[in-house]
Amino acid sequence: MEAAEALTLLMSPQGRVDPYPTYERLRSHGPVVEALPGLYVVTGYPEADELLRDPRLGVLDDALRDQVWPNWRQSPAMKSIARSMLRTNPPDHSRMRRLAAGAFSPRRIAGMRDVVRAQAEELLDAMIERAEDGRPVDVLADFAYPLPVGVICALLGVPAQDRPLFRRWAGDLTGVLEPEITTAELAVADAGAAELRDYFVELIVARRREPADDLTTALVQVHDADGERLTGDELLANLVVLLVAGFETTTNLLGNGLVVLLRHPEAADALRADPGLVPAYVEELLRYDSPVQLTTRTSTASVRCGGLDLPAGSTALLLLGAANRDPRRFTDPERFDPTRAQTHPLSFGAGPHYCLGAGLARLEAQLAFPLLLRRLPELALAAPPRHRTRLTLRGYESLLVTLGTPAAADRGTPAGSHPGTP
């Protein structure tokens, strides 16, 4: 199969649901291949890692965005993403990232352990109560979504009663992160972005009137003190992106990872017996079925990578999910193996755009998986899981499970309370 044909397949609904066979078709052309004029597809781990760190490559800037989408400024979704740290280059990216980084420092995240654990146990108790008659429950709706959304909303200062609003809005908005988007899909993304922006406009007003100890207040005060450090558009865009990125990828990590564990019962039993194994499990789950499958970069100068010259102005489509299964890096990469040494997946990226919330996502996963397996020894899939037709953010629409007979809660031995976990 020619590289261009494989790329077309990857972007199709079928290819998006299960991209891994298509990744191998693309890999057969080499770790870097020019699939279309000026578009280079990267499947190799060292090549993707190198390009993510190379300062000659960056995200799409306004000038190039004008060429690709001339009317992007009229799109609430595109404007929200473009004005955030997610889609800006240094020095603007560095300036904005520094303003939010304190909320995600290792020390701050370590201090959240007990709060995250308590939220996870509360959600699990409620899910067990809903399943008392043996009926299936949706572990995404009842656990994998509300846990990370509760954590990020607490950081941002979003009232608890408003949290159920965000799943649909964020799900709609993230369509704009796909490598291809139709006019109809963009309209849906714009509606989600508009709802989110309207919500945060009201929250900003509320925080000006009544400051609180949260990230929203901190960013509002930075903007009000010096609009050059953080403009109004940047304030809104970063609040939207911090919320969406703060739970969307972690929800997918929890859902994708749980399916993998349920399909590998011996590995699940080993983790159930020894929660201290969980850091390695989470890294292997991130590698095996990454919640973020791709990102893009544009070169500002000629770059040689993977034996090819990428001219200035080239676009690199970095397939993180493929890089995480590069056989040059990982022995038997199609096999889930939590005993693997030195995994270091690229699921959170690398370089200046390395995921700001990676430590928080790891903490939530390292607490959630042992808790679910210990409290629910008979946990099982109730129906075949159905993937969303998304490629960039890979996850399930719903995940129906049966809980069986739960084990008694043991608050004295909290899940994930062991050496090696942040």
Side-chain angles (χ1 to χ4, degrees):
M1 179 179 284
E2 293 296 325
E5 186 181 356
L7 184 60
T8 299
L9 175 60
L10 184 64
M11 300 301 162
S12 70
Q14 174 191 351
R16 294 181 183 199
V17 168
D18 184 10
Y20 295 107
T22 311
Y23 289 160
E24 297 313 309
R25 291 173 176 173
L26 287 163
R27 195 191 310 281
S28 69
H29 295 277
V32 181
V33 59
E34 188 176 16
L36 296 171
L39 176 63
Y40 294 81
V41 178
V42 182
T43 55
Y45 182 102
E47 292 79 12
D49 187 49
E50 175 186 337
L51 293 176
L52 285 168
R53 299 174 189 275
D54 194 320
R56 294 171 295 180
L57 284 90
V59 296
L60 205 64
D61 62 16
D62 285 359
L64 288 174
R65 196 177 286 110
D66 285 337
Q67 296 177 24
V68 180
W69 295 294
N71 299 318
W72 68 268
R73 288 177 176 82
Q74 282 70 58
S75 163
M78 288 189 177
K79 188 174 180 181
S80 288
I81 299 298
R83 288 291 171 258
S84 74
M85 69 182 83
L86 187 67
R87 285 291 188 267
T88 49
N89 294 304
D92 289 335
H93 169 265
S94 309
R95 168 177 54 81
M96 286 186 273
R97 186 180 175 103
R98 278 195 299 269
L99 295 175
F104 299 94
S105 68
R107 182 177 180 179
R108 180 75 179 266
I109 290 170
M112 296 175 66
R113 163 178 288 280
D114 290 343
V115 173
V116 175
R117 181 192 296 123
Q119 288 190 22
E121 289 174 338
E122 182 180 338
L123 289 168
L124 181 54
D125 288 342
M127 187 168 68
I128 290 171
E129 186 175 345
R130 277 191 290 275
E132 276 185 338
D133 59 358
R135 63 185 174 190
V137 293
D138 186 349
V139 74
L140 286 184
D142 292 343
F143 187 90
Y145 164 71
L147 177 61
V149 83
V151 172
I152 193 62
C153 283
L155 278 174
L156 290 171
V158 170
Q161 65 269 21
D162 294 342
R163 296 170 189 175
L165 300 170
F166 297 122
R167 190 176 186 188
R168 180 179 60 81
W169 294 347
D172 290 346
L173 168 61
T174 53
V176 80
L177 299 176
E178 292 298 302
E180 291 186 355
I181 186 168
T182 66
T183 302
E185 289 168 339
L186 181 58
V188 171
D190 283 340
E195 296 277 14
L196 283 165
R197 288 174 67 87
D198 288 348
Y199 179 88
F200 277 111
V201 166
E202 293 184 8
L203 185 61
I204 288 168
V205 171
R207 287 297 173 266
R208 284 196 177 111
R209 184 173 59 247
E210 190 175 343
D213 182 19
D214 56 46
L215 185 53
T216 298
T217 298
L219 294 178
V220 168
Q221 290 174 346
V222 169
H223 165 68
D224 290 352
D226 184 356
E228 292 187 3
R229 289 184 67 199
L230 190 69
T231 70
D233 281 347
E234 290 170 346
L235 171 62
L236 268 175
N238 281 295
L239 287 173
V240 168
V241 164
L242 284 166
L243 172 74
V244 172
F247 76 83
E248 183 82 7
T249 54
T250 308
T251 294
N252 291 344
L253 169 58
L254 296 178
N256 296 356
L258 186 59
V259 170
V260 173
L261 291 172
L262 293 179
R263 287 175 172 170
H264 295 81
E266 291 183 1
D269 287 343
L271 180 58
R272 186 179 286 114
D274 184 1
L277 300 172
V278 72
Y281 269 69
V282 170
E283 296 310 296
E284 176 67 351
L285 290 168
L286 284 164
R287 183 201 70 82
Y288 185 76
D289 197 11
S290 175
V292 179
Q293 289 283 311
L294 65 85
T295 189
T296 58
R297 295 290 186 270
T298 302
S299 60
T300 58
S302 179
V303 176
R304 186 163 182 82
C305 184
L308 296 181
D309 291 316
L310 284 62
S314 301
T315 297
L317 181 64
L318 306 169
L319 298 177
L320 306 179
N324 284 340
R325 294 196 179 192
D326 186 346
R328 298 173 302 159
R329 169 78 181 191
F330 305 104
T331 302
D332 196 7
E334 304 301 317
R335 181 167 60 92
F336 174 67
D337 179 9
T339 66
R340 235 180 250 284
Q342 298 180 341
T343 306
H344 301 304
L346 290 177
S347 308
F348 292 121
H353 280 273
Y354 183 78
C355 177
L356 187 62
L360 184 57
R362 284 187 167 102
L363 172 66
E364 294 176 56
Q366 289 174 6
L367 290 169
F369 289 128
L371 174 66
L372 288 167
L373 293 176
R374 178 175 58 83
R375 292 282 308 279
L376 302 172
E378 299 172 9
L379 183 66
L381 293 172
R386 183 165 49 94
H387 267 290
R388 301 161 67 187
T389 53
R390 294 279 178 87
L391 181 58
T392 302
L393 299 180
R394 177 168 167 80
Y396 293 100
E397 292 278 1
S398 64
L399 190 52
L400 294 177
V401 296
T402 54
L403 306 189
T405 302
D410 182 2
R411 305 300 191 203
T413 310
S417 182
H418 48 75
T421 305

